[in-house]
Amino acid sequence: NGFFPDVPLAKDSDVIVFCNPNNPTGACATRAQLEGVVKFARDHGKVILYDAAYSAFISDPNCPKSIFEIEGAKEVAIESTSFSKLAGFTGIRLGWLVCCDELKFACGTPVKQDLGRIMSTVFNGAASVSQAGGLAVLDNMPAVMDIVKYYMDNAKMIRETFDELGFKYFGGTNAPYTFVHFPGRDSWEVFDEILEKCQVVTTPGVGFGPSGQGFVRISAFGDKDNVIEACKRFKAAYKK
């Protein structure tokens, strides 16, 4: 099912954690799929913790960039996102959380009251230098989106390479990751093989959990010339 979660399995859970677009698979939920998640949460009294860190990489108009584009989501969802992937803030650490007035406990109390109390107790706020950097990003979004396009052009090259080689993969269209399938293979063995044959570093899929066995993740976060060279090496090593 393209790594879309089997949501009814969460019937005994209080919270559904949903990363979209997904890391490591690169999968991205459609509007219809997200509508189903929201409906399930509303029907069964669940809260969705929606991780949208890679939302800037979405280009398909049928794939919402925010859970709040879905009707009724404000009543069941908390959304988090970050400058880490959008603008390379991975070490600087700056993000935000959205919790709407409509999300309430069974007693009618807004969840954001408790959320605000907890956050102010355990966290004193992001460093001033991080906040200044975030403001600079927001003041220069056209340039930032040029960088996003740069990485997605890299992802396109990676997709086209594995299309040519006849491999099945996921992602690489609305996310900077391509999750390539090596059926019947151990992820770590594939990692070692690619490292030896191509001198390219990938990430073993099984490192993200048992469902990643047989996959490796290939990242588009890199210099274009290096990606071009990596694709040449993939073709030389795996051309049938």
Side-chain angles (χ1 to χ4, degrees), residues 66-90:
S66 169
I67 190 72
F68 297 122
E69 294 182 42
I70 306 301
E71 185 176 354
K74 291 182 179 181
E75 300 171 15
V76 293
I78 298 171
E79 181 170 295
S80 67
T81 190
S82 165
F83 285 96
S84 292
K85 314 306 176 185
L86 171 66
F89 275 44
T90 307

Side-chain angles (χ1 to χ4, degrees), residues 4 109 169:
F4 184 76
T109 303
Y169 61 83

Side-chain angles (χ1 to χ4, degrees), residues 163-178:
D163 280 334
E164 182 178 329
L165 293 172
F167 280 81
K168 183 178 181 180
Y169 61 83
F170 298 87
T173 302
N174 294 295
Y177 300 123
T178 305

Side-chain angles (χ1 to χ4, degrees), residues 5-18 37 39-49 76:
D6 192 355
V7 179
L9 292 178
K11 65 183 186 301
D12 296 325
S13 303
D14 294 320
V15 177
I16 300 170
V17 180
F18 193 84
V37 177
K39 183 179 186 304
F40 178 85
R42 295 183 70 186
D43 289 347
H44 295 86
K46 311 299 181 185
V47 173
I48 303 166
L49 183 56
V76 293

Side-chain angles (χ1 to χ4, degrees), residues 14-234:
D14 294 320
V15 177
I16 300 170
V17 180
F18 193 84
C19 175
N20 187 63
N22 185 262
N23 176 21
T25 68
C28 188
T30 65
R31 182 174 301 276
Q33 288 174 323
L34 288 180
E35 287 173 347
V37 177
V38 170
K39 183 179 186 304
F40 178 85
R42 295 183 70 186
D43 289 347
H44 295 86
K46 311 299 181 185
V47 173
I48 303 166
L49 183 56
Y50 189 78
D51 180 354
Y54 294 93
S55 60
F57 294 87
I58 297 175
S59 58
D60 186 343
N62 191 40
C63 296
K65 292 189 175 185
S66 169
I67 190 72
F68 297 122
E69 294 182 42
I70 306 301
E71 185 176 354
K74 291 182 179 181
E75 300 171 15
V76 293
I78 298 171
E79 181 170 295
S80 67
T81 190
S82 165
F83 285 96
S84 292
K85 314 306 176 185
L86 171 66
F89 275 44
T90 307
I92 299 172
R93 296 298 181 194
L94 185 66
W96 62 95
L97 199 67
V98 180
C99 182
C100 300
D101 292 333
E102 290 87 342
L103 180 60
K104 298 178 180 180
F105 293 108
C107 65
T109 303
V111 169
K112 76 173 190 179
Q113 289 185 10
D114 271 12
L115 184 61
R117 179 175 58 83
I118 292 168
M119 290 298 293
S120 62
T121 300
V122 302
F123 182 56
N124 288 327
S128 296
V129 65
S130 299
Q131 295 184 49
L135 289 172
V137 169
L138 296 176
D139 284 338
N140 293 277
M141 283 304 295
V144 173
M145 294 311 296
D146 284 344
I147 296 173
V148 169
K149 183 181 182 302
Y150 180 94
Y151 290 133
M152 292 312 296
D153 286 345
N154 286 348
K156 181 181 178 183
M157 284 192 285
I158 294 168
R159 290 197 332 265
E160 290 174 345
T161 294
F162 285 96
D163 280 334
E164 182 178 329
L165 293 172
F167 280 81
K168 183 178 181 180
Y169 61 83
F170 298 87
T173 302
N174 294 295
Y177 300 123
T178 305
F179 211 45
V180 184
H181 194 201
F182 289 76
R185 302 285 305 278
D186 177 79
S187 291
W188 279 104
E189 289 180 0
V190 175
F191 166 84
D192 287 338
E193 179 179 276
I194 292 174
L195 186 61
E196 181 177 345
K197 288 185 175 181
C198 306
Q199 289 78 56
V200 174
V201 176
T202 60
T203 306
V206 74
F208 298 95
S211 295
Q213 185 62 276
F215 290 84
V216 293
R217 189 194 74 174
I218 300 176
S219 173
F221 288 125
D223 180 80
K224 179 180 179 180
D225 290 339
N226 288 340
V227 174
I228 291 172
E229 179 61 28
C231 289
K232 288 180 180 177
R233 295 181 186 184
F234 284 135

